């Protein structure tokens, strides 16, 4: 099980993680939440119907990583498509941001709940319900998209990532990117089985 998700009886997934892996995953999830932003919490007496129709931003984010996480719905080839993309963003981005924050929060909470279950070797087995597994899949995807954007990863250069010299300052983030990809792939395989 080391480093790979496996299916749990009755659904869900499990993976063995050591203290370093837990620390890295938690740190990355917290950074993802900070990147996405805090979101607007509705007031306790707020009208739920009004909250449903609250408008979000109409322009794409300027940060390339956020632009990757919240892409335009349509190409910007014409004025009409740009207007449609703006409308789509205005009515969907707040919900999408909230879901991405919630996925990252599920990761953080699951990792924070592991400390009491530590083994003598310093590792633990993380067990996720089917719903938690889906949230983890979303968060792992968002983390990889963010890191890949920061590293300017392209399909043509992906093979070169494996051959970076240890002296390259991108090496730690590349290693995290590749590791998250392996975790994500094993979780997908687990959920499909």
């Amino acid at each position: 099980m080391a480093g790979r998700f496996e299916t749990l009886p009755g659904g869900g997934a499990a993976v063995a993680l050591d203290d370093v892996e837990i620390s890295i995953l938690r740190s990355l999830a917290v950074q993802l939440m900070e990147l996405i932003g805090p979101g607007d919490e509705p007031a306790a007496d707020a009208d739920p119907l009004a909250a449903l129709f609250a408008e979000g931003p109409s322009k794409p984010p300027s940060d390339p990583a956020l632009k990757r996480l919240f892409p335009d719905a349509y190409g910007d080839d014409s004025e009409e498509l740009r207007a449609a993309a703006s409308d789509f963003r205005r009515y969907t981005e707040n919900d999408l941001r909230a879901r991405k924050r919630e996925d990252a929060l599920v990761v953080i909470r699951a990792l924070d709940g592991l400390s009491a279950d530590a083994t003598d070797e310093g590792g633990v087995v993380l067990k996720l319900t089917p719903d938690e597994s889906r949230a983890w899949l979303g968060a792992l995807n968002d983390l990889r998209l963010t890191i890949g954007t920061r590293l300017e990863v392209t399909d043509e250069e992906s093979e070169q990532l494996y051959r970076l010299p240890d002296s390259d300052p991108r090496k730690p983030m590349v290693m995290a990117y590749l590791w998250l990809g392996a975790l994500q792939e094993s979780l997908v395989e687990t959920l499909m089985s």
Side-chain angles (χ1 to χ4, degrees):
M1 178 183 300
R4 292 193 53 82
F5 279 96
E6 294 183 7
T7 305
L8 286 176
V15 64
L17 299 169
D18 64 29
D19 291 339
V20 173
E21 292 167 329
I22 292 167
S23 176
I24 291 169
L25 280 169
R26 188 181 192 292
S27 174
L28 290 173
V30 167
Q31 290 176 56
L32 179 63
M33 285 186 69
E34 291 171 353
L35 176 67
I36 293 169
D40 297 325
E41 293 296 323
D45 60 347
D47 178 6
L49 191 55
L52 181 64
F53 293 104
E55 292 186 13
S58 60
K59 294 183 180 174
S62 59
D63 182 304
L66 285 174
K67 194 178 280 192
R68 184 71 174 107
L69 291 175
F70 307 104
D72 273 335
Y74 311 103
D76 58 353
D77 296 341
S78 70
E79 186 71 29
E80 186 177 310
L81 288 178
R82 282 192 294 276
S86 176
D87 286 343
F88 187 81
R89 180 179 300 282
R90 183 177 21 246
Y91 294 113
T92 61
E93 187 170 314
N94 285 344
D95 289 339
L96 186 55
R97 282 180 182 266
R99 195 197 83 230
K100 290 179 180 299
R101 276 191 299 275
E102 184 58 36
D103 288 351
L105 193 55
V106 168
V107 170
I108 293 166
R109 287 179 177 153
L111 295 171
D112 286 350
L114 289 176
S115 60
D117 301 328
T119 64
D120 293 336
E121 297 82 34
V124 295
V125 175
L126 171 69
K127 295 179 181 178
L128 302 172
T129 66
D131 287 341
E132 290 171 328
S133 297
R134 285 186 285 281
W136 267 70
L137 189 57
L140 289 171
N141 186 60
D142 291 342
L143 288 169
R144 289 194 71 240
L145 286 173
T146 301
I147 293 170
T149 301
R150 295 285 190 242
L151 291 170
E152 299 177 353
V153 173
T154 64
D155 288 338
E156 296 81 37
E157 297 173 342
S158 61
E159 281 298 313
Q160 296 172 355
L161 295 177
Y162 293 99
R163 293 187 282 280
L164 281 179
D166 290 342
S167 60
D168 191 308
R170 299 174 297 164
K171 182 79 175 218
M173 287 311 295
V174 166
M175 297 303 294
Y177 175 79
L178 296 172
W179 173 60
L180 291 170
L183 276 177
Q184 182 181 16
E185 183 178 341
S186 72
L187 184 53
V188 167
E189 290 170 358
T190 297
L191 294 175
M192 292 179 65
S193 62

